[in-house]
Amino acid sequence: MICAKVYTPIDYLPIMIQSFVVLGFVVTTMIATHMLGPKRNTKQKLENFECGIEGMGNARSPFSVKYFVIAILFVLFDVEVIFLYPWAVNFKELGIQGFVGVVSFSALLLSGFGYLMLKGAFDWEK
Amino acid sequence: MDFNIYDFTSFTTWVHNALTSSMSPGWAMFVELAIVGVVFIAFYAVIGLYLVYAERKVCALIQNRKGPNRVGPFGLLQTIADLFKLLMKELIYIKNADKFLFNLAPFIVIIASFMAIAALPFAKGLHAIDLNIGIFYLFAVSSLGVIGILLAGWSSNSKYSLIGAIRSGAQVVSYELSVGLALLSIVIFSGSMQLSTIVESQANGWWIIKGHIPAIISFLIFLVASTAETNRGPFDLAEAESELTAGFHTEYSGIKFAFFFLAEYMNMFIVAAIAATVFLGGWMPFHIPGLDGMNHVMDYIPPFVWFMGKTAFIIFIMMWFKWTFPRLRIDQLLKLEWKYLLPLNLMNIVLIAFIVLMGWYIK
């Protein structure tokens, strides 16, 4: 299928101009709130929030590696989803060939997925 | 001027012609887009504020209370009063924060939700831009907001914020897969990613009806996944107030906090609008083939009202979720996505491909 109109970067100009308008709105609001609001800084006020006790240590500390694993799996699977979009647009023209293609693609994807599941990548605690 | 509430094409052409006749085409386009931008800001503010009001009223309804009812009739001016109060508050820059990123985060969150709203078709001929990759564009920009959340959480240098942000990051990226695959199913049915084409293809029935059971499965998956993607209850782990104070925006005060709050509600509006456009026919009226009398009555209701009505319905369901289900744990949340929704979604895609191939759907 041939697209009726080929989009060039200039067609995205409306979105860019809108972003600038919004940027202007946010900046104006920030300036307004700076002028309206009080500025009384005390030592305690500039501390991090803690429920009535002294804050301890720095928040720049290591966190669970599981979040990192999730992020990597996301990159893998999100690329697959993006690959499926052009296929979906042209599916009606591709017919049976396209169907065989997507079944084999999904089968490969699901077997990899099954391997990950057996390896315990989706279990939070083992 | 020919103003027609059922078709905005003539109105937008009239505005365009009026502007081009009085100035050069480049300036006319610029002024036009600036007008659209200002209209969207007004729309954004009104919708954002009244969604907060709606949420408080729905919450009150479910918890058998009255909700806001003092400021203005039925408390309608309550959230506007709240906005002015937040505008008058002090902005606190905490000592250990990374100043630049701390200030940047609300900008990213707001701009990301604004970029998505530009592509939504509100009525026939009423959209800022009608891209040929509409769905793909929405899918892309609706996930930009998580960058703002991660920046907010990390730059605050607070443990509550950091935990909220990394939880939110893991949650949003996981559920994005399901959102993408659920939208993909309708792209297979309609054969186009352009939102106006998808809406036009639903003139004889909405995809949720025409697509039979697989489309309903896709719709339900989209509903769950988009609730999680916008960090709303029961998936609001990023700001679980009983354990993390307020999650990623713990250290924000005044209008910056209001921006996060506004963006959260706007994201809810955006995902509800996407669901309404893709599954429930967008601005198309509800038609039953054969019942001409009823179809004519339905045609009298303006498309904009149809669009907002469907969106409001989905928003109500999402609020209902929030106030009736208990919050999930992070391991339950990720298990739901990776072990149940994702395999189900992939099999559903294959099923839909088979149905489209055999032509077993209403064309």
Side-chain angles (χ1 to χ4, degrees), chain B residues 18-300:
Chain B
L19 282 171
T20 37
S21 65
S22 58
M23 54 187 92
S24 68
W27 272 106
M29 189 173 170
F30 184 77
V31 170
E32 215 175 287
L33 294 171
I35 292 172
V36 171
V38 171
V39 169
F40 269 135
I41 288 176
F43 179 76
Y44 190 95
V46 170
I47 292 282
L49 289 175
Y50 279 96
L51 280 180
V52 178
Y53 171 78
E55 167 122 284
R56 292 179 66 181
K57 276 291 187 193
V58 170
C59 167
L61 180 78
I62 287 167
Q63 297 175 347
N64 205 4
R65 300 186 281 117
K66 276 210 166 92
N69 63 351
R70 292 298 171 92
V71 188
F74 308 105
L76 276 170
L77 301 176
Q78 177 69 56
T79 44
I80 295 172
D82 286 347
L83 179 76
F84 280 105
K85 183 196 78 179
L86 284 169
L87 202 61
M88 309 282 270
K89 289 283 177 187
E90 182 179 357
L91 289 179
I92 299 169
Y93 297 93
I94 52 161
K95 199 173 60 191
N96 298 325
D98 185 324
K99 284 250 163 48
F100 176 68
L101 297 181
F102 189 74
N103 286 326
L104 185 67
F107 284 81
I108 291 181
V109 171
I110 287 274
I111 289 175
S113 64
F114 244 99
M115 282 166 81
I117 215 171
L120 294 174
F122 290 96
K124 190 171 183 162
L126 193 67
H127 41 66
I129 182 166
D130 189 22
L131 296 167
N132 57 354
I133 51 158
I135 284 196
F136 201 61
Y137 170 79
L138 283 173
F139 176 52
V141 294
S142 66
S143 54
L144 277 180
V146 70
I147 297 172
I149 291 176
L150 282 173
L151 282 185
W154 190 81
S155 67
S156 299
N157 202 353
S158 157
K159 282 166 193 160
Y160 295 118
S161 302
L162 183 73
I163 294 171
I166 55 175
R167 275 185 187 180
S168 172
Q171 173 184 341
V172 172
V173 298
S174 305
Y175 280 85
E176 208 176 294
L177 299 173
S178 284
V179 168
L181 284 170
L183 292 176
L184 186 76
S185 62
I186 301 301
V187 178
I188 302 174
F189 275 129
S190 62
S192 173
M193 287 198 270
Q194 191 160 10
L195 286 167
S196 59
T197 319
I198 290 175
V199 175
E200 296 286 351
S201 72
Q202 302 181 76
N204 61 340
W206 305 345
W207 277 123
I208 194 168
I209 300 163
K210 290 204 292 181
H212 304 307
I213 293 164
I216 295 171
I217 296 174
S218 282
F219 177 69
L220 293 178
I221 290 174
F222 183 83
L223 208 57
V224 173
S226 58
T227 311
E229 214 199 339
T230 48
N231 284 324
R232 283 189 57 81
F235 308 103
D236 57 347
L237 288 145
E239 45 198 280
E241 63 270 10
S242 53
E243 40 188 299
L244 291 182
T245 320
F248 60 91
H249 56 65
T250 305
E251 303 293 351
Y252 283 89
S253 64
I255 200 74
K256 285 188 191 164
F257 164 74
F259 281 147
F260 278 110
F261 213 60
L262 206 61
E264 190 190 320
Y265 280 90
M266 279 323 284
N267 286 335
M268 179 167 75
F269 174 79
I270 289 162
V271 294
I274 296 172
T277 307
V278 171
F279 294 99
L280 302 182
W283 44 261
M284 279 290 173
F286 180 68
H287 280 176
I288 296 174
L291 291 176
D292 285 340
M294 196 194 85
N295 292 351
H296 281 302
V297 173
M298 291 298 178
D299 282 337
Y300 274 111

Side-chain angles (χ1 to χ4, degrees), chain A residues 1 3-7 10-27 29-30 32-34 36-43 45-51 55-64 66-67 69-100 102-103 105-107 109-110 113 116-117 120-125, chain B residues 29-30 33-34 36-38 40-41 44-45 86-98 103 106-107 110-111 114-115 117-118 128-133 135-137 139 153-160 162-163 166-167 170-174 176-177 179-181 183-184 187-194 207 245 250-251 254-256 259 262 330-331 334-335 337-339 342-343 346-347 349-354 356-357 361:
Chain A
M1 191 176 70
C3 287
K5 184 173 183 293
V6 177
Y7 275 69
I10 199 78
D11 291 306
Y12 291 86
L13 192 70
I15 289 166
M16 209 178 114
I17 292 182
Q18 277 213 5
S19 306
F20 281 121
V21 172
V22 177
L23 197 67
F25 164 72
V26 178
V27 169
T29 323
M30 287 288 191
T33 190
H34 266 289
L36 288 169
K39 286 181 202 69
R40 281 187 294 273
N41 293 333
T42 59
K43 193 170 173 293
K45 200 194 252 179
L46 299 182
E47 292 282 324
N48 279 321
F49 176 82
E50 189 52 78
C51 311
M56 288 265 285
N58 196 317
R60 308 267 189 265
S61 52
F63 52 83
S64 172
K66 277 287 169 190
Y67 291 106
V69 174
I70 293 290
I72 288 189
L73 291 178
F74 160 71
V75 173
L76 284 175
F77 281 93
D78 204 41
V79 171
E80 320 293 353
V81 174
I82 290 166
F83 278 146
L84 282 173
Y85 268 91
W87 163 80
V89 174
N90 296 312
F91 179 65
K92 283 178 185 166
E93 282 76 34
L94 291 174
I96 188 86
Q97 192 194 348
F99 182 69
V100 172
V102 80
V103 167
F105 183 78
S106 300
L109 199 60
L110 278 173
F113 187 79
L116 283 172
M117 206 183 266
F122 306 124
D123 298 321
W124 197 255
E125 280 173 63
Chain B
M29 189 173 170
F30 184 77
L33 294 171
V36 171
V38 171
F40 269 135
I41 288 176
Y44 190 95
L86 284 169
L87 202 61
M88 309 282 270
K89 289 283 177 187
E90 182 179 357
L91 289 179
I92 299 169
Y93 297 93
I94 52 161
K95 199 173 60 191
N96 298 325
D98 185 324
N103 286 326
F107 284 81
I110 287 274
I111 289 175
F114 244 99
M115 282 166 81
I117 215 171
I129 182 166
D130 189 22
L131 296 167
N132 57 354
I133 51 158
I135 284 196
F136 201 61
Y137 170 79
F139 176 52
W154 190 81
S155 67
S156 299
N157 202 353
S158 157
K159 282 166 193 160
Y160 295 118
L162 183 73
I163 294 171
I166 55 175
R167 275 185 187 180
Q171 173 184 341
V172 172
V173 298
S174 305
E176 208 176 294
L177 299 173
V179 168
L181 284 170
L183 292 176
L184 186 76
V187 178
I188 302 174
F189 275 129
S190 62
S192 173
M193 287 198 270
Q194 191 160 10
W207 277 123
T245 320
T250 305
E251 303 293 351
I255 200 74
K256 285 188 191 164
F259 281 147
L262 206 61
I330 183 80
D331 60 327
L334 294 172
K335 201 167 109 185
E337 161 64 18
W338 291 99
K339 286 194 174 167
L342 192 63
L346 275 171
M347 286 170 196
I349 291 290
V350 174
L351 181 63
I352 286 176
F354 185 65
V356 172
L357 188 71
Y361 66 105

